Amino acid sequence: RTHGNLVSMAVRVMVLVTMAIHAAEAIKMHRGAALPALRSLPLHWPPPRSTALSRTACMVAGAAATTGDDSSSQISEWAKQESLVVTKGPHVKVAGKTLNPCGLFICILTMSVCACCYPPLLLSYALSRVFDNKKRRMVDYIVNIWAKMSMLLCTYRPKVTGLEHLPHTDEAFMFIPNHTSFLDIFSMSGFVPRRMKYISKIEILRIPLIGWAMQFAGECEEVLCREGDLGMNSHLIPLHSGHIAIRRMDRRSQMQTFKDAITTLENGNSVVTFAEGTRSKDGKLKKFKKGPFKMSSKAGVRIIPVSICNMYRWMPSSALLPVAFPRQVEIKLHAPVETAGRDEAEVSKEVFGIINRGLPPYQQAAPGAVV
């Protein structure tokens, strides 16, 4: 009982501290009062306002003036994002990655919410095995609640646009977003009103609680795979027809992933896959792999391109966990792209262009980048 009281008190203290920090932010923004003590905390703090536009914003302004377009609001938003400075605060290096108190807080909070969701998750798993074994939507619904609650408790809520592109029917889609952070998965699961399965690396399934929850969302089959290119002995690993695990350096695992993804789509599940294959190290859109477009074409489903804007600021590739609570993140859902009867390379190029145009300039691929 005493232990429970201490945990409850600790949670209350963390919530009060978070509320106090954000109240201080509001005072700072509206009154311009200096709060040097709070500036030392490893949390997001709005940078001083600058009267000069960023270099990128100036280029956009010049282009708008040339074409005669009224892009002042877009220029203002891009300038704000360009000038945003996210400080790490006090931190340590773990395996060469940055870890600060804010990231640790987000990790503990997320795992705690996940643990609290396990009783309804187990119940929904048991019911889904009987009544909805192909889709297991009840499990997906609990995961959606977990992701959304975790992010809201971290005071993070992205702006989501393009929801009109999601039809009211139960049509399965292949969602293809750009990828800069594991928070992309939380954002898609928590704030896009669609139950989805993910294609993710095998290491995710080894994470306690989170990996187990992914396994509840789909049947598991044993597949013989080699340990990458390391020349280690072959062994059995779990791969899924719900959430799908892939060992990226293993050819046989990739082939099994391809088959599982098609089966999952044909069963009526929407699938999220990151066509870049891995996180972008500098936040810019990278070259796409061919696999997702072959999968969608083979399964006969449409693709929804997704632009996740400004997430890289909050968890760069040099960080083990987020360095601050995310702000100014936008998820743009674009109109579905048809795949039936079309060349896969052509579809890939179209989807790449749509996602790229939806990103702010500092995240867009370099001109002439190979798709």
Side-chain angles (χ1 to χ4, degrees):
R1 184 176 180 180
T2 302
H3 178 70
N5 291 337
L6 289 174
V7 172
S8 177
M9 183 179 297
V11 171
R12 291 176 185 176
V13 168
M14 287 189 290
V15 172
L16 289 173
V17 169
T18 302
M19 293 173 62
I21 290 169
H22 285 280
E25 283 189 8
I27 294 172
K28 169 65 180 176
M29 292 174 65
H30 294 290
R31 298 185 181 180
L35 297 172
L38 287 175
R39 279 189 178 278
S40 63
L41 290 173
L43 303 174
H44 163 61
W45 194 272
R49 296 181 180 178
S50 172
T51 57
L53 287 175
S54 66
R55 180 179 179 184
T56 302
C58 289
M59 293 170 62
V60 175
T66 302
T67 59
D69 294 335
D70 182 12
S71 306
S72 58
S73 60
Q74 190 176 36
I75 293 169
S76 175
E77 181 63 25
W78 284 344
K80 185 191 300 182
Q81 293 176 0
E82 279 285 302
S83 62
L84 184 63
V85 177
V86 181
T87 58
K88 299 177 182 178
H91 63 276
V92 296
K93 291 288 186 178
V94 178
K97 301 280 188 177
T98 298
L99 175 64
N100 68 6
C102 184
L104 191 59
F105 172 82
I106 292 175
C107 179
I108 293 173
L109 179 62
T110 301
M111 297 296 281
S112 300
V113 175
C114 183
C116 292
C117 289
Y118 252 75
L121 179 66
L122 293 172
L123 176 61
S124 63
Y125 167 69
L127 293 174
S128 295
R129 286 293 300 267
V130 178
F131 301 107
D132 186 26
N133 199 35
K134 284 188 176 181
K135 295 184 178 180
R136 302 197 182 177
R137 296 299 174 90
M138 293 181 67
V139 176
D140 292 336
Y141 181 70
I142 299 299
V143 171
N144 170 265
I145 292 175
W146 162 51
K148 191 168 188 175
M149 285 181 59
S150 298
M151 296 298 96
L152 290 177
L153 288 172
C154 292
T155 70
Y156 162 58
R157 188 186 186 97
K159 177 182 178 181
V160 182
T161 59
L163 291 175
E164 66 275 9
H165 297 310
L166 294 178
H168 297 296
T169 60
D170 203 23
E171 178 182 354
F173 289 100
M174 173 76 81
F175 288 84
I176 299 184
N178 59 301
H179 190 29
T180 61
S181 161
F182 77 78
L183 290 178
D184 298 338
I185 298 175
F186 279 85
S187 299
M188 291 286 293
S189 295
F191 300 98
V192 176
R194 205 72 164 194
R195 307 289 79 79
M196 298 171 287
K197 311 295 185 182
Y198 288 85
I199 298 177
S200 62
K201 58 185 180 180
I202 188 70
E203 289 79 9
I204 298 295
L205 271 71
R206 296 171 180 160
I207 301 176
L209 298 179
I210 297 175
W212 304 337
M214 290 184 68
Q215 295 182 42
F216 289 144
E219 284 296 342
C220 176
E221 59 177 309
E222 297 288 333
V223 179
L224 187 65
C225 287
R226 187 167 53 84
E227 186 75 48
D229 292 331
L230 302 180
M232 298 176 68
N233 293 332
S234 300
H235 65 292
L236 293 175
I237 62 171
L239 295 174
H240 299 259
S241 59
H243 294 294
I244 302 158
I246 181 173
R247 195 180 298 277
R248 290 180 297 191
M249 299 303 294
D250 192 289
R251 179 65 178 170
R252 185 167 182 177
S253 173
Q254 293 172 8
M255 293 301 296
Q256 186 62 45
T257 295
F258 184 85
K259 295 176 183 177
D260 287 346
I262 293 173
T263 300
T264 300
L265 288 166
E266 290 176 342
N267 285 340
N269 296 293
S270 291
V271 172
V272 179
T273 182
F274 300 104
E276 295 162 282
T278 188
R279 290 172 51 186
S280 171
K281 295 187 181 299
D282 58 4
K284 295 183 181 294
L285 189 64
K286 302 301 181 186
K287 180 181 177 180
F288 282 174
K289 305 291 185 181
K290 299 177 182 179
F293 305 97
K294 292 181 179 293
M295 295 172 192
S296 55
S297 178
K298 185 75 172 176
V301 300
R302 295 190 289 172
I303 294 173
I304 293 188
V306 183
S307 301
I308 302 179
C309 307
N310 207 34
M311 182 66 81
Y312 177 75
R313 300 282 191 185
W314 311 103
M315 189 178 170
S317 57
S318 60
L320 182 65
L321 294 168
V323 296
F325 296 148
R327 296 287 185 276
Q328 300 176 5
V329 175
E330 183 176 1
I331 300 174
K332 297 180 181 178
L333 302 173
H334 301 285
V337 175
E338 296 289 346
T339 61
R342 298 183 60 188
D343 179 68
E344 293 154 5
E346 176 189 347
V347 174
S348 175
K349 185 175 181 179
E350 180 180 348
V351 172
F352 184 93
I354 292 172
I355 296 175
N356 196 47
R357 288 191 295 272
L359 296 171
Y362 68 89
Q363 284 192 263
Q364 291 180 0
V370 178
V371 180

